[in-house]
């Protein structure tokens, strides 16, 4: 398929990107790795009149230790994160999960910012960011603001970013509880998760169990009251609304969530 006509503009700084987007209003979209936006445009499910290419903004591509937290620039690729020694030692959950996204081509082009803003409930990193209790930093024409991961994901492919706002960074608080696990059930190695689970200490988040990535609060509460992995995992599907599609039915996904949460909690315990 061929996308509808659009104008292409490449930004050479964050300030210029914000200016270009502000000039074009709701008709503009930022282009990062293009691995989610371009397929949508080709299917004509997204019809931006102006693409503001932020893909070469090196100032947004970094992973650094800021003392109280680890900060990841929004344009950091999945591959950068998977190979980062700093993440491997400080936030291994994120490094490991980034290495499970798609295939090598997707991991080289796709960015953490693009993945979070695209807000696909089947994507891996939104749930990871929830389990890590991260804060997202956005910049718009009127300045910067911080958004907790729990308030960022609003609905299917919907976030709390305003038109023209750029996600610039993700801040992950330190110190993190030691135990972690990421479980992803796929039919083939490179597929999207049918269901996935991210665990960091007592925080548990689910991939593809609703319209947004979800915190498994009933599991977290059971853990806090002293339940073991298996008993806590029995609550994994509570308050979820998994899709019923050609990959799996709702009941199968609920079953998978319970199985994967139990595995994740056991693996997390073995690491703590
Ligand atoms: P883009 O496609 O450039 O942008 C996506 C959206 O985010 C657009 O709306 C864009 O305007 C907006 N945007 C991008 N960056 C910013 C920013 N900094 N501020 C504001 N808005 C922004 N993902 C998984 O999680 N797991 C998988 O297993 C997986 N498999 C995949 C397999 C294939 C074959 C493909 C093509 C993709 C797959 N993905 C998977 C998705 C992949 O991770 C995407 O790269 C990612 O979701 C989007 O990142 P991007 O940089 O390509 O964003």
């Amino acid at each position: 398929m061929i996308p509808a006509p659009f104008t292409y503009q490449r930004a050479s700084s964050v300030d210029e990107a914000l200016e270009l987007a502000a000039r074009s209003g709701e008709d503009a979209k930022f282009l990062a790795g293009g691995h989610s936006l371009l397929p949508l445009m080709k299917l004509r499910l997204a019809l931006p009149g102006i693409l503001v290419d932020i893909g070469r903004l090196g100032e947004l591509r970094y992973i650094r230790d800021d003392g109280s937290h680890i900060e990841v620039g929004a344009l950091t690729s999945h591959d950068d994160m998977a190979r980062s020694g700093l993440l491997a030692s400080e936030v291994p959950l994120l490094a490991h999960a980034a290495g499970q996204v798609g295939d090598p081509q997707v991991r080289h082009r796709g960015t953490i910012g693009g993945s979070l803003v695209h807000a696909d409930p089947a994507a891996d990193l939104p749930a990871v960011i929830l389990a890590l209790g991260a804060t997202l930093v956005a910049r718009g024409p009127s300045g910067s603001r911080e958004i907790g991961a729990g308030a960022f994901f609003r609905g299917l492919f919907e976030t709390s970013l305003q038109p023209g706002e750029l996600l610039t960074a993700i801040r992950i608080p330190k110190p993190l509880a030691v135990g972690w696990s990421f479980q992803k059930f796929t039919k083939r190695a490179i597929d999207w998760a049918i269901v996935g689970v991210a665990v960091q200490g007592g925080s548990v988040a689910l991939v593809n169990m609703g319209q947004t990535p979800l915190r498994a609060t009933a599991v977290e509460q059971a853990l806090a009251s002293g339940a073991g992995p298996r008993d806590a995992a029995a609550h994994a599907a509570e308050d979820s609304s998994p899709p019923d599609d050609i990959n799996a039915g709702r009941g199968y996904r609920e079953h998978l969530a319970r199985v994967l949460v139990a595995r994740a909690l056991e693996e997390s315990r073995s690491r703590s």
Side-chain angles (χ1 to χ4, degrees):
M1 293 276 288
I2 298 173
F6 60 89
T7 305
Y8 171 89
Q9 295 173 322
R10 185 190 297 160
S12 52
S13 68
V14 168
D15 288 340
E16 191 188 1
L18 291 172
E19 204 181 296
L20 290 170
R23 233 185 273 155
S24 314
E26 297 207 5
D27 207 22
K29 269 204 169 289
F30 295 115
L31 175 69
H35 265 51
S36 293
L37 181 55
L38 296 184
L40 283 186
M41 288 173 65
K42 286 182 178 176
L43 291 168
R44 302 208 174 194
L45 294 171
L47 300 162
I50 293 130
L51 277 193
V52 177
D53 187 352
I54 56 169
R56 298 186 197 196
L57 299 185
E59 62 192 290
L60 294 183
R61 187 170 182 172
Y62 60 85
I63 302 168
R64 66 176 176 235
D65 190 335
D66 272 355
S68 63
H69 57 265
I70 299 293
E71 185 165 305
V72 182
L75 271 176
T76 307
S77 72
H78 307 318
D79 188 66
D80 288 344
M81 293 188 287
R83 291 174 191 273
S84 160
L86 179 58
L87 281 192
S89 65
E90 296 288 344
V91 198
L93 169 61
L94 180 55
H96 174 78
Q100 308 299 306
V101 172
D103 53 36
Q105 213 176 349
V106 173
R107 293 197 288 275
H108 277 88
R109 293 294 308 172
T111 65
I112 183 168
S115 176
L116 300 180
V117 177
H118 186 57
D120 185 337
D124 302 312
L125 302 186
V128 168
I129 289 304
L130 266 190
L132 289 170
T135 299
L136 289 83
V137 186
R139 251 180 82 181
S142 47
S144 285
R145 67 183 178 115
E146 295 188 357
I147 309 159
F152 187 74
F153 302 104
R154 284 278 177 81
L156 195 64
F157 302 110
E158 190 192 340
T159 72
S160 56
L161 283 187
Q162 297 298 315
E165 252 188 332
L166 185 69
L167 178 65
T168 55
I170 295 91
R171 290 191 183 136
I172 299 145
K174 289 200 298 186
L176 290 165
V178 268
W180 63 275
S181 178
F182 183 70
Q183 303 285 328
K184 176 174 177 177
F185 187 84
T186 56
K187 284 186 182 159
R188 299 168 307 166
I190 59 165
D191 281 346
W192 295 75
I194 291 176
V195 173
V197 179
V199 168
Q200 181 74 55
S203 298
V204 183
L206 303 172
V207 176
N208 220 358
M209 285 296 287
Q211 302 252 309
T212 63
L214 294 179
R215 282 289 282 268
T217 29
V219 176
E220 293 175 351
Q221 281 161 4
L223 287 172
S225 341
R230 299 234 150 240
D231 289 337
H235 300 278
E238 284 173 24
D239 300 323
S240 68
S241 51
D244 203 349
D245 59 29
I246 51 164
N247 292 313
R250 182 170 302 213
Y252 181 58
R253 280 196 165 91
E254 290 172 350
H255 169 73
L256 268 182
R258 289 187 284 270
V259 171
L260 294 179
V261 168
R263 280 184 200 163
L265 293 175
E266 272 160 9
E267 185 173 58
S268 170
R269 274 201 173 181
S270 73
R271 287 188 168 122
S272 58

